[in-house]
Amino acid sequence: MSLPGQNGRGPVTGPSGLKAGAGTADRGPVSSGPVGIVAGGGAFPAAVAEAVIAQGRDVLLLLIRGFADPALERYPHQWFRLGSLGSITAMAKARGVRDVVMVGALTRPRVSDLGFDWTMLRLLPRIARLFRGGDNHLLSGVLELVAEQGFNLVGAHEVAPGLLLPQGVLGARAPSAQDRQDMARGLDVIRTLGPFDVGQGVIVVDGFVAAVEAAEGTDQMLARYGDMRRTGRLRFHAGRGVLVKAPKPGQDRRVDLPSLGPATVARAAEVGLGGIAFEAGGAIVPDVQALVAGADAADLFIFGMDRSGAVSGQS
């Protein structure tokens, strides 16, 4: 399971018929009070917090125990366990929070590890049902629970639009004609498999679909591809192939937006790929300059694809 800003796996199709707050979450931030940032692991919670603060709004970081970086304590914060929905929402409301962002790495928890408070205990049968399905099913249910507590769930890209990956070539290296064909095929695979709740990533090399992201996540998919090359199962030369990442069709971008960071660039280079392609405006990046510097150093291209999938001829 993933929240926006996770290079691994777990940040969803949107919920149909939210019982509270329905119709508001798609309009972006609706209040001027502090933004509540539900923080998983990684660098993205801090990047979002800084972007919100730069816009003149306060933040309250709701740090998930076992996942969030303790360095985030430099911001106004409160630690909580995933199962303490009642207590953490009451505290956030008392602090004036109405807009909530969910961002950062979060592996799929076991129900027994959630640490339920009374509010969550009353919802236990419903929560158990949420775990009987894919990540889209689970995170859609989380959206409903957040809305029912009276909050407006917004995407990281709505409160921090500067983190969105732009369109076109981002570094020194541009994709070749074959790379662009591989991008298009990768998008086709993601859009075809997306309704089955399969992941947001695929590796395509010279028209061959070499790996598809499933429950293991992007990092483990890259490792699997690297293992296949090392053992001779795949015999592609280094510097060939593209990691393609894009939102699944119909997924809710507020809680499951793909992300890209320097670690993914390093792993892609390590396993011998030629570049990484993301849907422009459909992925977040904590630091574009650092990303480009890493890609240039590794001689990888980074390319923001047009949302239509028409990658041929772009620059």
Side-chain angles (χ1 to χ4, degrees):
M1 182 175 64
S2 67
L3 302 176
Q6 177 179 345
N7 291 322
R9 175 66 181 171
V12 196
T13 48
S16 56
L18 297 182
K19 296 181 181 178
T24 63
D26 290 334
R27 295 200 302 266
V30 297
S31 73
S32 58
V35 176
I37 301 175
V38 179
F44 282 90
V48 172
E50 291 296 331
V52 172
I53 292 170
Q55 296 172 29
R57 291 188 70 179
D58 295 331
V59 297
L60 175 63
L61 271 74
L62 307 174
L63 308 178
I64 305 174
R65 290 195 181 278
F67 296 95
D69 186 345
L72 294 172
E73 290 183 341
R74 66 184 182 272
Y75 302 102
H77 69 277
Q78 179 66 47
W79 287 94
F80 76 104
R81 296 185 67 185
L82 283 170
S84 58
L85 180 66
S87 57
I88 195 65
T89 55
M91 184 279 299
K93 285 181 180 178
R95 299 280 290 272
V97 172
R98 291 297 178 268
D99 293 334
V100 173
V101 180
M102 303 173 69
V103 63
L106 180 63
T107 56
R108 189 180 181 95
R110 295 179 298 181
V111 174
S112 59
D113 293 336
L114 294 178
F116 293 110
D117 61 15
W118 286 110
T119 296
M120 292 293 273
L121 282 173
R122 291 195 298 272
L123 296 171
L124 187 56
R126 182 174 164 191
I127 293 168
R129 288 193 296 272
L130 294 181
F131 277 78
R132 298 172 189 156
D135 288 348
N136 283 1
H137 176 69
L138 176 58
L139 289 174
S140 294
V142 170
L143 285 178
E144 287 199 22
L145 293 176
V146 170
E148 288 170 7
Q149 302 306 309
F151 293 99
N152 177 47
L153 184 62
V154 296
H157 59 293
E158 294 176 291
V159 297
L163 301 182
L164 286 171
L165 184 72
Q167 183 174 331
V169 178
L170 299 189
R173 180 178 170 187
S176 67
Q178 180 61 58
D179 292 327
R180 293 171 189 270
Q181 293 177 27
D182 289 344
M183 292 179 208
R185 174 156 294 198
L187 278 179
D188 286 343
V189 171
I190 290 170
R191 291 169 178 173
T192 299
L193 297 180
F196 298 97
D197 204 0
V198 176
Q200 303 165 327
V202 61
I203 295 173
V204 183
V205 190
D206 294 341
F208 178 77
V209 179
V212 175
E213 179 184 338
E216 83 275 43
T218 303
D219 290 349
Q220 292 302 315
M221 176 185 67
L222 286 166
R224 176 161 48 89
Y225 174 77
D227 287 341
M228 287 189 288
R229 284 192 68 241
R230 281 190 294 272
T231 59
R233 176 68 179 83
L234 297 177
R235 298 183 180 275
F236 299 118
H237 293 296
R240 306 289 298 178
V242 185
L243 166 63
V244 181
K245 291 277 286 181
K248 291 174 282 188
Q251 77 178 48
D252 195 308
R253 299 184 179 215
R254 294 168 296 174
V255 292
D256 199 14
L257 200 64
S259 60
L260 178 59
T264 301
V265 171
R267 291 186 183 101
E270 180 182 350
V271 301
L273 292 179
I276 302 173
F278 268 64
E279 179 188 299
I284 56 175
V285 181
D287 187 335
V288 173
Q289 290 184 341
L291 185 79
V292 170
D296 287 348
D299 195 27
L300 262 68
F301 68 80
I302 303 291
F303 190 85
M305 301 176 291
D306 181 89
R307 189 169 181 176
S308 70
V311 297
S312 297
Q314 291 181 0
S315 61

